[in-house]
Amino acid sequence: MERTCLAIILAAGESTRMKSAMSKVLHPVAGRPMISHVVEALASASISDVALVVGRDAEAVSAAASTGSVTVTSFLQKERLGTGHAVLAAREAIARGYDDVLVVFGDTPLITAAPLKEARDGLAAGNDVVVIGFQTPDPTGYGRLIVEDGTLVAIREHKDATEEERRITYCNGGLMAIDGRRALDLLDRIGNANAKGEYYLTDLVEIVRSLGGRAIAVEAPEEELTGCNTRAELAYIERLWQQRRRHEMMLAGVSMIAPETVFLSWDTELAQDVLVEPHVVFGPGVRVESGAIIHAFSHVEGAHVGAGATVGPFARLRPGADLGPKSKVGNFCEVKKAEIGAGAKVNHLTYIGDAFVGAGSNIGAGTITCNYDGVNKHLTRIGANAFVGSNSSLVAPVTIGDGALVASGSVITDDVPADAVAFGRARQEIKPGRAPVLRERYEAEKTAKKKVKAAD
Ligand code: UD1
Ligand code: CA
């Protein structure tokens, strides 16, 4: 029979070292709270019973953890007395009786299913406590794993470690699996006689051994267990996350010319044969279909880019931008909450907001949809195969029919019927032979000014 499992996420810490007005587990990695990444990893390891220990910002942390299919039950740790104390906040859940109890930290967002599974395999193999460790050249701050003859003898917190122990580079990743039948008994034995006066979860190793049980450490890649205590570590974690996801995307058929300059969100979807040029930023909610090209220096957020469409260079797609297949949004264009039909072109220096642009239409350089009157937003509808001349202002609400033509420089305030031509500007006047007259006058003015200056 399959072993039952309860995961406990610890997220009640004060986040003192983060120096922030909010709990560190709410700080985003790839545009989503750290804690959501941890829950996602549990889901991908098919762990569905999750207890979340919250303290600071309890409501917001619980909300951020309730993502996807996982049911998360929150437990409040009223005082912050350490990781050992925190786990016991979920006493009620542990008491339900599970084969495996898995403790993970809310501040290790790069964790994946693999080490979670390894930890549980260690329990299935008959160990009482399994700790996931990692090797790092810079172990400062981490608890050190003291291993003798293949068994884990103790975990020594940095602050409590001797000089010699501090030289150990094998560290506690904060992921611990405990025999669920013994968990409460073991946890209740943790004391607080240490440098910080806290109840350390890590003491479980020595406790279980003193009772004749066995603890082991299993090594996992450092990257997955990198913990976030400071802003500098947050930036490092972001970098690792980005590297990992870019790599996955490239292996899945996405081309990136300079991947290290492309920034993805947790939910960015790029189809096979999408090309992303250097210096592109994807905010949340982006889906790009096959064959599309995102040219350099574009910023794309909450947008859908259809197959074979091109974006940029220097384009901004804001939430609700929906680009049809083979459409084009070119340099210095901004599109918000607008559909750009198949093959339509918005090539230069344009703002399209709250609008529909029909298939095959051409929107000239500098066109602006004037969607906002200072109070309300209004819609602009442009039909199929319409042509809007350069530097036109389309004052919404307004409709431009299929095949219509708007003269360049127009301010369009009334609807334009299909196939009509609209001029919305003053007519040009010609004054034959007038240029030399004007020029003479200007020269005279200049000379007069010079004379006044000399007299001063
Ligand atoms: C902890 C480990 C250390 C390990 C490191 C890995 C202990 C005693 N130390 O140290 O061995 O190398 O993580 O990243 O376990 N928390 C609570 N309530 C508390 C205290 C903490 O919920 O009272 C939560 C925090 O929100 C955090 C997690 O537990 O998500 C770890 O706490 P933190 O203070 O970051 O522990 P470290 O000092 O990093
Ligand atoms: Ca930590």
Side-chain angles (χ1 to χ4, degrees):
M1 233 181 66
E2 220 174 282
R3 294 171 67 96
T4 58
C5 179
L6 170 72
I8 304 175
I9 307 176
L10 302 190
E14 289 293 352
S15 315
T16 318
R17 289 166 279 179
M18 199 71 174
K19 300 203 168 38
S20 172
M22 70 178 179
S23 163
K24 68 178 163 188
V25 300
L26 292 173
H27 281 261
V29 170
R32 132 196 255 203
M34 221 182 282
I35 187 81
S36 317
H37 288 271
V38 176
V39 174
E40 200 59 49
L42 295 174
S44 69
S46 309
I47 297 168
S48 49
D49 286 11
V50 178
L52 174 71
V53 179
V54 289
R56 194 182 165 179
D57 301 327
E59 262 176 52
V61 172
S62 299
S66 301
T67 63
S69 57
V70 182
T71 332
V72 177
T73 315
S74 295
F75 295 88
L76 188 68
Q77 185 194 15
K78 293 195 187 79
E79 295 169 282
R80 250 64 77 206
L81 301 179
T83 47
H85 180 259
V87 174
L88 279 172
R91 179 186 292 277
E92 207 184 291
I94 303 169
R96 274 185 236 138
Y98 288 88
D99 297 317
D100 304 346
V101 168
L102 206 54
V103 181
V104 297
F105 289 172
D107 70 349
T108 52
L110 298 174
I111 190 95
T112 67
L116 298 169
K117 189 174 173 303
E118 271 192 89
R120 293 187 62 195
D121 288 349
L123 292 183
N127 299 290
D128 301 286
V129 170
V130 183
V131 171
I132 302 292
F134 64 96
Q135 289 285 355
T136 175
D138 180 17
T140 309
Y142 288 112
R144 309 298 205 281
L145 301 184
I146 302 173
V147 178
E148 282 170 15
D149 301 327
T151 69
L152 180 61
V153 184
I155 304 177
R156 196 77 69 230
E157 287 308 298
H158 185 87
K159 278 199 171 155
D160 301 293
T162 62
E163 273 309 306
E164 196 183 331
E165 285 166 340
R166 284 185 182 180
R167 278 196 287 274
I168 298 173
T169 53
Y170 196 17
C171 296
N172 173 22
L175 169 56
M176 187 186 281
I178 311 163
D179 176 353
R181 311 290 163 189
R182 302 185 69 176
L184 278 181
D185 175 45
L186 296 173
L187 289 162
D188 277 328
R189 293 170 191 262
I190 296 176
N192 64 351
N194 52 54
K196 282 172 115 181
E198 284 188 357
Y199 295 84
Y200 288 166
L201 176 62
T202 45
D203 284 355
L204 227 51
V205 172
E206 282 163 290
I207 291 169
V208 78
R209 280 175 57 83
S210 72
L211 297 172
R214 180 178 154 90
I216 59 161
V218 177
E219 195 183 330
E222 175 184 6
E223 182 198 297
E224 298 205 14
L225 298 163
T226 304
C228 180
N229 298 312
T230 65
R231 306 267 180 165
E233 284 165 355
L234 178 65
Y236 178 61
I237 284 172
E238 178 77 35
R239 177 146 61 102
L240 294 176
W241 189 94
Q242 294 291 342
Q243 276 167 1
R244 179 154 97 188
R245 183 52 62 87
R246 290 174 196 130
H247 191 71
E248 286 168 2
M249 285 197 169
M250 288 187 283
L251 293 186
V254 173
S255 278
M256 296 185 189
I257 294 167
E260 67 282 6
T261 66
V262 173
F263 292 86
L264 304 161
S265 267
W266 64 279
D267 62 347
T268 306
E269 290 178 45
L270 306 180
Q272 193 176 310
D273 286 319
V274 165
L275 166 64
V276 183
E277 288 188 354
H279 301 285
V280 170
V281 176
F282 292 98
V286 174
R287 189 162 60 89
V288 181
E289 295 195 46
S290 173
I293 300 175
I294 314 295
H295 290 291
F297 296 100
S298 292
H299 191 282
V300 184
E301 181 181 3
H304 166 241
V305 178
T310 65
V311 175
F314 297 98
R316 178 166 185 213
L317 301 185
R318 290 172 52 204
D322 185 357
L323 276 50
K326 296 210 158 97
S327 62
K328 284 186 172 178
V329 172
N331 44 260
F332 306 105
C333 291
E334 174 179 342
V335 177
K336 182 215 80 166
K337 221 174 169 185
E339 247 177 75
I340 308 293
K345 292 178 188 156
V346 183
N347 270 339
H348 333 266
L349 301 143
T350 287
Y351 172 60
I352 300 288
D354 300 301
F356 295 88
V357 175
S361 285
N362 190 311
I363 310 298
T367 299
I368 304 289
T369 53
C370 309
N371 58 326
Y372 187 47
D373 56 18
V375 181
N376 293 304
K377 302 270 167 72
H378 301 282
L379 281 183
T380 302
R381 292 176 183 278
I382 300 171
N385 302 309
F387 180 93
V388 177
S390 297
N391 203 32
S392 295
S393 301
L394 311 177
V395 184
V398 75
T399 298
I400 292 165
D402 292 345
L405 203 151
V406 172
S408 123
S410 291
V411 176
I412 298 295
T413 52
D414 297 326
D415 289 354
V416 181
D419 291 326
V421 176
F423 285 88
R425 52 162 140 99
R427 267 192 188 284
Q428 181 172 323
E429 278 183 60
I430 300 286
K431 318 254 177 182
R434 183 76 188 277
V437 180
L438 278 183
R439 227 172 269 128
E440 221 166 275
R441 187 200 292 167
Y442 298 155
E443 289 295 346
E445 282 169 5
K446 198 173 174 182
T447 316
K449 262 191 209 155
K450 270 189 193 154
K451 275 188 185 153
V452 174
K453 239 189 175 174
D456 274 351

